[in-house]
């Protein structure tokens, strides 16, 4: 049972434009959300996170938005750069589960073309 | 400083053989996690170690899978009598804090192929 869903397996965006990656979750106990970026043959690297007490968190070109009522979060990258091309994983954690255990989506392959 | 390291980076084995995968967490990190990623899937939780507490094994898919950790250092994941469906990238992560939420740092993974 997939508790974190990324319904778009791929996204292609032109350099300089905005990339929007989406993620939905089903477990109302989740209260902490993270985005990881993964290059081929490397482990995932942490990008940005958000607690459920917030609805927005920004770090440079990366902003994560959380809509708790819709159980939806999104990652915005502005402006997109070719080096952003990677697989992006949405992850969630929360009360009642193993402390810090992360539930991952299947990932979205982002391609930024010049 | 050094990140999480894993060995081997690649392992090809025959069905029915046992394999052992190793993880060296970041020094001082008390929490250690094993995940696996099968082709086209997200990361799937396997097991969690926190200090000297009993590990949370709730994600292990069968009794062929086991893991050990010595104190707050190296961990090994053992798969006995491997099956083709065990083929995946096995990822290890470690984190510092024991309470609240915190970033997990991942190793590069071990790609296991069972023929």
């Amino acid at each position: 049972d997939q508790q974190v869903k990324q319904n778009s397996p791929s996204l292609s965006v032109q350099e300089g434009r905005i990339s929007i990656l989406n993620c939905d979750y089903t477990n109302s106990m989740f209260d902490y959300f993270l985005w990881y970026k993964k290059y081929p043959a490397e482990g995932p690297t942490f990008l940005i996170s958000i607690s459920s007490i917030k609805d927005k968190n920004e770090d440079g070109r990366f902003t994560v938005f959380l809509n708790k009522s819709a159980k939806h979060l999104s990652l915005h990258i502005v402006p997109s750069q070719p080096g952003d091309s990677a697989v992006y994983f949405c992850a969630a954690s929360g009360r009642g589960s193993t402390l810090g255990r992360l539930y991952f989506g299947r990932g979205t392959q982002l391609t930024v073309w010049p | 400083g050094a990140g999480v390291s894993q060995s081997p980076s690649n392992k090809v084995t025959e069905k029915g053989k046992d394999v052992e995968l190793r993880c060296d967490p970041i020094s001082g990190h008390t929490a250690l996690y094993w995940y696996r990623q099968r082709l086209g899937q997200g990361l799937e939780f396997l097991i969690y170690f926190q200090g000297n507490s009993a590990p949370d094994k709730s994600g292990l898919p069968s009794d062929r899978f086991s893991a050990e950790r010595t104190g707050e250092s190296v961990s090994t994941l053992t798969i006995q009598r491997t099956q083709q469906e065990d083929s995946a990238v096995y990822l290890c992560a470690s984190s510092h804090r024991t309470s609240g939420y915190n970033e997990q740092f991942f190793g590069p993974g071990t790609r296991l192929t069972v023929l």
Side-chain angles (χ1 to χ4, degrees), chain A residues 2-113:
Chain A
Q2 195 79 11
Q3 299 189 51
V4 177
K5 299 177 183 179
Q6 294 177 257
N7 293 319
S8 296
S10 64
L11 175 67
S12 182
V13 171
Q14 187 176 24
E15 181 178 8
R17 302 275 193 166
I18 184 171
S19 295
I20 300 177
L21 297 100
N22 293 302
C23 177
D24 298 289
Y25 61 96
T26 57
N27 191 335
S28 58
M29 300 290 277
F30 288 151
D31 59 3
Y32 187 65
F33 305 89
L34 309 90
W35 285 93
Y36 279 83
K37 176 179 178 180
K38 186 179 184 302
Y39 293 116
E42 294 183 11
T45 55
F46 171 76
L47 198 55
I48 193 169
S49 64
I50 188 167
S51 164
S52 61
I53 61 173
K54 296 184 175 181
D55 54 17
K56 177 183 175 181
N57 188 27
E58 191 171 355
D59 183 2
R61 298 186 296 114
F62 302 91
T63 303
V64 56
F65 295 91
L66 176 62
N67 182 333
K68 291 186 290 294
S69 61
K71 294 191 178 69
H72 177 83
L73 65 155
S74 61
L75 174 68
H76 293 210
I77 306 174
V78 183
S80 302
Q81 299 173 353
D84 296 330
S85 297
V87 177
Y88 288 78
F89 289 99
C90 172
S93 184
R95 301 179 299 275
S97 65
T98 295
L99 183 67
R101 169 184 172 175
L102 297 176
Y103 294 80
F104 283 85
R106 294 186 178 184
T108 297
Q109 170 71 58
L110 173 66
T111 302
V112 180
W113 47 281

Side-chain angles (χ1 to χ4, degrees), chain B residues 34-107:
Chain B
W34 282 98
Y35 295 86
R36 75 174 175 183
Q37 185 184 14
R38 290 192 275 192
L39 191 64
Q41 305 294 314
L43 278 70
E44 174 189 359
F45 168 79
L46 297 177
I47 188 168
Y48 159 67
F49 294 91
Q50 175 56 62
N52 293 318
S53 302
D56 180 339
K57 304 178 182 180
S58 60
L60 295 178
S62 79
D63 58 7
R64 296 186 295 103
F65 287 72
S66 61
E68 294 183 348
R69 187 184 186 193
T70 306
E72 295 183 354
S73 61
V74 172
S75 175
T76 56
L77 176 69
T78 301
I79 309 173
Q80 296 178 309
R81 305 181 303 282
T82 52
Q83 304 294 313
Q84 288 182 334
E85 63 262 27
D86 299 335
S87 295
V89 176
Y90 288 81
L91 291 154
C92 174
S94 69
S95 65
H96 180 63
R97 294 210 318 256
T98 60
S99 63
Y101 301 109
N102 48 279
E103 176 186 346
Q104 293 180 21
F105 294 84
F106 283 83

